[in-house]
Amino acid sequence: MFTMSTMYFGKLCLEQLPLLVFEIICEYLPDKSLRSLSLTSRFCHAASSRRRFEHVHLKVRTPERSLQSLQRWDLMLSSGGRKGYLRRLQVAGTLYDLPPEGDEEEEYGEHYDHNDLESGFGDMEWLLRPRQSEARTTRVPDRQQWEGFWTRLAHLISQLGNLTDLFFACKRDMPPILLSTLHQHHSACRLHTDFYISSPTPSDELVLTESTCLYNVHCYEYNYDHIDHPDRRAVKYMMVERLPKLEHMCANLIGVPKRPLRSFSVSSQGKKGNLKSLTVKKDINAELLGEWDRHTRLEVLESLRLPYVMNRPLLDLATNLARDGKFRSLRRLELGHGFYTTILSCPDMGKALGLFLEAIPPQLEHVDFMGVVDDHSISSLLRYHGSTLRKLRLDSYRSRLMDDLDEPFTISPYVENIVELCPNLQVLEILTLRTEGDQEEVATYRTLGKLPKLQRLSLILDCSQRRVCWTDQVSPTEDMGGLEVSLPNIRKMLVNSALDEHLAVSIFKAISSSSLQWLKLSIVGAGNFGSGIQPEDEKLLFGWISRSWICEKVAGDGSEEDKIEVKEVGKRARIEVGKILDKKGLHPDSARIWDRIWPRRLEDWKEDWSSFPLYSEN
């Protein structure tokens, strides 16, 4: 047991360490612990400064608010040599005054990874991702109002002697004054930014295509016509001929194209780029993948993300390229399809994906499959790449929306295979079935707890009952959106959909893994009986009880056990649902079913319920 004397002596020993040694210790502390340490004493505050100020996020809104924020940061960084600590500067936001959006910071924080920033393996797309409200706006900002801010920001950038990364994502192209400052004072700095390709693009905005600092770019293309604009050639020149430092590119197409995009139709003159990360969203086909092969060396590509565009001809070409050694360096793979008819029109899609996985050298570390999951793809993935996987996401919910599928596909039967074949897995996201917390559901949680290195787990709990509308009803029924559903099925749906804080903690404890630090639980399919129709009253009711949670393990101080901190995700939207329910009230049919499950004890029925407990042998 610690006494006052030993604690006091320990404090003296800690503060007697050389400042350089203490700074190195701070490099290994989590962000929360680092902030707590900085408030302990002046010595700890000084020792943690280098780490606390190595990454600065400058939020951009209106010219006045942005300039005030910049002045505060400039004043803060001017003391104690902190400008020398700053290595990564993030300038992000919108040039308009928009209200905050719900859980934006929670979602950003979920994807933030210092290791990705340091290694360069991650394409850091989340840092360049606009909020939904920013993406919807079409107003053009007044450039003259922003000149003072950009000039002041350029002056600050010129004073940052150790700047290694500059992130610029302000829903516009980077101002020329910032580019020239970066080239003049930080030629070795890595630039991460957006590039908006319009038709035609002003010549001053094409300066970015000549930036020797450009390292990571997110391209947006707006206009689709039959004219081969110089902008598309500029993107090709930027990627291939001019910018040897460019390693990460995301091509995002906005709108519905009139024809397949052909941005790289100009001859590359025998010179190829060296992209390490390539993300293509929306339309891409086998022909366009062949063009990418002609303009960048796929042999050095480490990350390939095609999240919405998977089709059979594309898979066949990718398989042939892999057999020719084109994807010999690939470590991250994300595949998905954007249309629910893909599996129906190509039943052997999973088999084709399995052949592609078998052709890739067994070295994949990060895999993300959305809607292309079946027995063939999972088996090939686990057999050929299971031993090297560190991050795995298997989202099969898209395929579950297809009425023509005889049985919904679930990952639950493959959990034991994942545990057996993926010993190095650290991050996992899968869809599993909610079965009223019965013995089978609890067994799935306990099996996941056997993963020896699992640190972060996201479980998408599926409550849907898609086959109900085809079954013969032998029990009393209720009208659910024009669909006669038996009362036992309605009860089962409500029990599965109800996820409160106590059940979230019980699931975390059921997994019972010493390595697990973070768990996210979310509900899908609440109220889905297979008809595709759900009345507004039932939708609000399920929206109230189907909650999402994040459980995080917090280490004790040595004398106490580890604690579990629980935080609700999407609480703001759920409160708005509650306000609507207060105004409209509970529908009589829904109230009758509700009272059978949760007999009322309180006047406010919305708070008078709890999740059903998990199965226990006791």
Side-chain angles (χ1 to χ4, degrees), residues 307-310 335-340 342-343 370-372 398 402:
Y308 308 118
V309 294
M310 186 49 50
L335 299 176
H337 63 77
F339 303 99
Y340 297 146
T342 303
I343 292 181
M370 296 176 292
V372 292
R398 292 188 184 183
M402 300 181 191

Side-chain angles (χ1 to χ4, degrees), residues 505-560:
V505 174
S506 297
I507 294 176
F508 190 98
K509 292 181 178 180
I511 296 173
S512 185
S513 169
S514 59
S515 61
L516 185 65
Q517 301 295 320
W518 186 93
L519 171 67
K520 181 178 181 181
L521 299 169
S522 55
I523 296 289
V524 294
N528 180 7
F529 290 99
S531 67
I533 303 174
Q534 189 175 8
E536 186 65 23
D537 294 332
E538 277 77 14
K539 187 180 298 184
L540 292 171
L541 179 60
F542 286 112
W544 177 252
I545 63 176
S546 303
R547 304 179 182 182
S548 298
W549 302 92
I550 290 180
C551 303
E552 187 169 4
K553 184 186 297 184
V554 179
D557 59 2
S559 59
E560 299 180 356

Side-chain angles (χ1 to χ4, degrees), residues 314-324 327 352-357 359:
L314 186 65
L315 271 179
D316 291 340
L317 176 59
T319 301
N320 292 332
L321 292 174
R323 290 170 177 171
D324 293 338
F327 295 114
L353 178 55
L355 294 176
F356 176 46
L357 292 170

Side-chain angles (χ1 to χ4, degrees), residues 166-413:
L166 174 61
F167 303 87
F168 185 88
C170 295
K171 200 60 184 173
R172 59 156 290 171
D173 289 307
M174 193 171 182
I177 187 173
L178 296 186
L179 270 178
S180 59
T181 301
L182 195 66
H183 296 158
Q184 180 180 356
H185 297 277
H186 306 286
S187 59
C189 180
R190 302 186 302 185
L191 174 60
H192 315 249
T193 188
D194 296 330
F195 181 47
Y196 295 89
I197 308 175
S198 57
S199 299
T201 295
S203 58
D204 62 333
E205 295 183 359
L206 291 176
V207 176
L208 179 66
T209 65
E210 301 178 355
S211 174
T212 56
C213 293
L214 193 60
Y215 175 78
N216 174 21
V217 63
H218 195 144
C219 298
Y220 294 91
E221 184 156 352
Y222 286 99
N223 289 349
Y224 305 90
D225 48 39
H226 296 279
I227 302 176
D228 188 14
H229 290 285
D231 304 345
R232 294 175 181 174
R233 294 197 298 270
V235 175
K236 169 257 176 184
Y237 290 142
M238 174 183 62
M239 181 183 68
V240 178
E241 298 178 358
R242 301 180 181 180
L243 307 176
K245 188 183 291 187
L246 182 63
E247 294 187 0
H248 306 279
M249 175 177 285
C250 176
N252 198 358
L253 313 182
I254 302 176
V256 181
K258 297 179 181 178
R259 67 184 180 94
L261 178 64
R262 300 180 184 277
S263 298
F264 309 102
S265 58
V266 180
S267 172
S268 63
Q269 300 178 358
K271 187 175 182 180
K272 286 190 174 185
N274 295 286
L275 289 180
K276 291 186 178 180
S277 171
L278 174 62
T279 302
V280 181
K281 296 184 177 180
K282 301 290 179 72
D283 282 12
I284 185 173
N285 52 33
E287 181 181 358
L288 292 179
L289 180 61
E291 290 186 10
W292 281 104
D293 179 38
R294 291 192 292 272
H295 292 288
T296 188
R297 297 176 60 230
L298 297 181
E299 296 89 340
V300 300
L301 194 68
E302 297 180 3
S303 172
L304 177 63
R305 301 178 60 198
L306 308 175
Y308 308 118
V309 294
M310 186 49 50
N311 54 74
R312 179 60 189 270
L314 186 65
L315 271 179
D316 291 340
L317 176 59
T319 301
N320 292 332
L321 292 174
R323 290 170 177 171
D324 293 338
K326 294 291 186 178
F327 295 114
R328 66 184 66 166
S329 302
L330 200 63
R331 293 192 289 152
R332 178 179 183 180
L333 178 64
E334 178 178 342
L335 299 176
H337 63 77
F339 303 99
Y340 297 146
T341 56
T342 303
I343 292 181
L344 299 180
S345 59
C346 185
D348 55 348
M349 172 74 78
K351 185 176 181 180
L353 178 55
L355 294 176
F356 176 46
L357 292 170
E358 295 172 9
I360 300 175
Q363 60 191 21
L364 291 179
E365 299 177 5
H366 187 170
V367 171
D368 192 333
F369 288 166
M370 296 176 292
V372 292
V373 182
D374 70 352
D375 181 72
H376 294 285
S377 57
I378 292 182
S379 299
S380 297
L381 174 65
L382 298 182
R383 284 189 292 110
Y384 283 84
H385 304 278
S387 61
T388 59
L389 283 177
R390 294 187 298 112
K391 299 181 180 181
L392 176 61
R393 180 189 180 198
L394 298 175
D395 183 359
S396 60
Y397 190 67
R398 292 188 184 183
S399 62
R400 297 176 61 84
L401 298 180
M402 300 181 191
D403 294 338
D404 290 25
L405 290 179
D406 291 335
E407 292 295 337
F409 189 84
T410 176
I411 309 298
S412 299

Side-chain angles (χ1 to χ4, degrees), residues 148-161:
F149 174 75
W150 300 132
T151 303
R152 183 71 180 265
L153 178 58
H155 179 67
L156 173 62
I157 291 175
S158 66
Q159 298 177 327
L160 305 177

Side-chain angles (χ1 to χ4, degrees), residues 2 5 32 59 67 79 87 132 156 158 183 193 199 242 273 289 295 300 378 425 430 432 453 467 524 547-548 566 606:
F2 290 102
S5 59
K32 290 183 179 180
K59 295 183 179 180
L67 186 58
S79 63
R87 298 173 55 199
Q132 292 182 359
L156 173 62
S158 66
H183 296 158
T193 188
S199 299
R242 301 180 181 180
L289 180 61
H295 292 288
V300 300
I378 292 182
L425 205 59
I430 57 174
T432 60
K453 298 183 180 180
R467 305 299 296 176
V524 294
R547 304 179 182 182
S548 298
V566 185
K606 301 197 312 305

